[in-house]
């Protein structure tokens, strides 16, 4: 908003140009200009915005005054950098460690976790300030996706558990608002699309790890093995599967999947399994 060169906008443009690189190749067009932008954006983010000692991207590089770094990122600068490919696997883990150690956390009934969006306090005395120091379901569920991306199953599920408090306790039972209280209840802006769409992604793509790649005839499957769950199952219109765990040492994991459209399945499991 002040013409800073920021992590979030750069990550969005990185993702957009990566998509265009792939699309150009499929259409028989020249993908090189888009791939060049991908490489330049990623390199610039690594050179100018990544803070190696802290293990996280800066919020932005100022273009005015002394042109310093804003060294306290908010949650979207972490989860967008992870999802759109600005960070490698090790950096994603380090960013999540930074969030765990530097952002305030709340515990909700049922063992859920909420994370405050930033350490920014522009309005003294206010506990909630939209887009600055806040708790919003959409952000929590985006963060859950990043936890699952890093194979941190229990941490991701804790964030989903906090949203369950809102689904069952709020002005719109079964829905989600934009904002939450510290105990997970819905606070403001009922039936908010940011939250409800991210609920679907966090559960299907994150918790159950179903990511269709239909143009490639493939489904990426990365089931998250939560705590001491003995098993889980999901049924969607086009793909269903279930997993079961047995034994203790070693643990045996059994998966069975079904798909209405023929597709290869690329299976990934958390390293611990």
């Amino acid at each position: 908003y002040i013409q800073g060169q920021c992590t979030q906008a750069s990550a969005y443009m990185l993702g957009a140009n990566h998509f265009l690189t792939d699309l150009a190749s499929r259409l028989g067009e020249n993908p090189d200009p888009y791939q060049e932008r991908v490489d330049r954006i990623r390199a610039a983010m690594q050179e100018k915005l990544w803070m190696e000692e802290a293990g996280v991207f800066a919020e932005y590089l100022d273009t005015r005054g002394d042109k310093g770094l804003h060294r306290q990122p908010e949650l979207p600068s972490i989860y967008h950098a992870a999802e759109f490919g600005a960070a490698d696997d090790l950096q994603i883990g380090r960013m999540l460690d930074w969030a765990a150690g530097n952002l305030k956390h709340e515990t909700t009934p049922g063992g859920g976790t909420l994370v405050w969006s930033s350490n920014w306090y522009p309005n003294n005395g206010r506990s909630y300030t939209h887009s600055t120091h806040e708790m919003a379901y959409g952000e929590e569920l985006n963060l859950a996706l990043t936890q699952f991306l890093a194979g941190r199953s229990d941490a991701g599920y804790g964030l989903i558990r906090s949203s369950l408090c809102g689904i069952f306790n709020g002005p719109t039972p079964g829905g989600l608002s934009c904002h939450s209280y510290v105990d997970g209840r819905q606070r403001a802006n009922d039936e908010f699309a940011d939250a409800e769409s991210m609920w679907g992604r966090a559960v299907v793509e994150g918790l159950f790890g179903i990511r269709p790649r239909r143009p490639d005839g493939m489904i990426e499957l990365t089931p998250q093995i939560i705590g001491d769950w003995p098993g889980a199952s999901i049924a969607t219109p086009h793909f269903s599967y279930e997993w079961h765990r047995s034994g203790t040492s070693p643990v045996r994991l059994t998966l069975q999947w079904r798909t209405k459209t023929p597709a290869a399945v690329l299976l990934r499991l958390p390293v611990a399994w």
Side-chain angles (χ1 to χ4, degrees), residues 36-151:
E36 180 184 355
R37 293 191 189 107
V38 168
D39 296 339
R40 290 175 61 191
I41 292 169
R42 184 183 289 114
M45 293 181 71
Q46 291 289 333
E47 177 185 352
K48 297 180 180 296
L49 294 171
W50 176 255
M51 300 184 295
E52 177 61 26
E53 183 175 351
V56 73
F57 284 101
E59 182 65 17
Y60 63 85
L61 175 64
D62 204 347
T63 58
R64 306 176 184 183
D66 62 4
K67 300 183 179 180
L69 284 176
H70 188 298
R71 303 182 66 84
Q72 287 287 326
E74 64 171 347
L75 281 178
S77 295
I78 293 174
Y79 57 69
H80 287 326
E83 178 172 8
F84 295 128
D88 61 30
D89 292 342
L90 178 60
Q91 288 175 323
I92 292 172
R94 294 190 67 194
M95 290 193 296
L96 291 171
D97 289 343
W98 184 92
N102 290 274
L103 297 177
K104 185 179 179 182
H105 287 53
E106 307 287 350
T107 301
T108 66
T113 302
L114 285 167
V115 182
W116 287 83
S117 62
S118 74
N119 291 322
W120 308 347
Y121 294 88
N123 295 328
N124 187 33
R126 293 185 59 183
S127 58
Y128 304 103
T129 304
H130 182 60
S131 295
T132 52
H133 183 62
E134 180 63 281
M135 285 180 299
Y137 295 109
E139 294 204 10
E140 307 296 333
L141 294 167
N142 262 297
L143 182 61
L145 271 181
T146 305
Q147 297 283 9
F148 291 136
L149 180 65

